[in-house]
């Protein structure tokens, strides 16, 4: 799992002064990109090799409102992995007190830029993700044992 911290900007709020619901999806992407960076998976390198990674599915459960100037922690964990897809889970918490604000998942598939057909990652890329995935699974077991 990796955690990044963001501060809510004014333009991310709506007329009610609450973060517009689309921004949680953007923050999921921020977490996902940071995760890829952390494991050494360069997304531009993948694109240079004509491998794209479109979203196939996204879900978000909005639990508590998020407001302008809130500082939030975005926890990102890889929960499913194959050579053709990744599924991430996300938890967004208020940094100051750990309040759970929302949680969700995304599913990305790896596709060819030439024909949009699903492709399988080679060993170099897959093994980087697999090592992180195994670490995430170990952390989940430890968390369950402590809870």
């Amino acid at each position: 799992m990796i955690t990044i911290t963001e501060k809510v900007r004014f333009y991310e709020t709506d007329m009610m002064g609450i973060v517009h619901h689309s921004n949680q999806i953007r923050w999921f992407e921020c977490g996902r990109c940071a995760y890829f960076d952390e494991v050494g998976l360069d997304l531009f390198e993948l694109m240079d090799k004509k491998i794209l990674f479109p979203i196939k599915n996204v879900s978000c459960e909005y639990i508590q409102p998020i407001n302008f100037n809130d500082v939030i922690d975005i926890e990102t964990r890889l929960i499913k992995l194959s050579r053709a897809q990744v599924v991430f889970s996300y938890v967004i918490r208020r940094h100051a007190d750990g309040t759970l604000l929302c949680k969700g998942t995304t599913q990305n598939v790896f596709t060819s830029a030439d024909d949009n057909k699903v492709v399988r990652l080679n060993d170099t890329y897959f093994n980087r993700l697999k090592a992180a995935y195994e670490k995430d699974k170990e952390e989940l077991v430890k968390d369950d044992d402590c809870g």
Side-chain angles (χ1 to χ4, degrees), residues 8-141:
V8 176
R9 293 161 283 275
F10 182 74
Y11 73 84
E12 293 170 321
T13 62
D14 60 18
M15 295 284 296
M16 296 178 285
I18 297 171
V19 164
H20 187 270
H21 66 275
S22 64
N23 288 295
Q24 283 83 339
I25 306 305
R26 289 176 183 240
W27 292 326
F28 290 176
E29 181 177 10
C30 293
R32 187 171 58 254
C33 289
Y35 194 99
F36 283 139
D37 286 345
E38 182 75 19
V39 303
L41 195 66
D42 185 327
L43 297 178
F44 287 114
E45 183 180 324
L46 282 176
M47 289 188 292
D48 287 345
K49 295 189 181 293
K50 300 211 177 233
I51 298 173
L52 304 178
F53 37 91
I55 294 283
K56 183 176 180 189
N57 192 339
V58 63
S59 69
C60 183
E61 180 181 354
Y62 303 92
I63 298 168
Q64 291 287 322
I66 305 172
N67 301 297
F68 170 61
N69 260 352
D70 278 352
V71 176
I72 57 172
D73 293 327
I74 305 155
E75 301 170 3
T76 305
R77 177 172 286 159
L78 185 55
I79 61 169
K80 186 174 181 184
L81 172 68
S82 74
R83 288 184 183 271
Q85 73 169 340
V86 288
V87 178
F88 287 97
S89 71
Y90 309 89
V91 173
I92 298 180
R93 299 180 189 279
R94 187 172 296 109
H95 184 78
D97 60 11
T99 298
L100 179 61
L101 303 170
C102 73
K103 59 186 179 178
T105 62
T106 58
Q107 175 189 22
N108 289 72
V109 293
F110 297 103
T111 62
S112 166
D114 294 328
D115 60 12
N116 292 319
K117 291 187 177 180
V118 173
V119 297
R120 295 169 53 84
L121 291 180
N122 66 29
D123 285 345
T124 301
Y125 301 126
F126 180 73
N127 289 339
R128 291 176 191 164
L129 286 168
K130 186 176 179 184
Y133 175 64
E134 295 299 329
K135 183 178 174 188
D136 282 351
K137 285 195 321 187
E138 288 174 19
E139 287 176 3
L140 274 177
V141 169

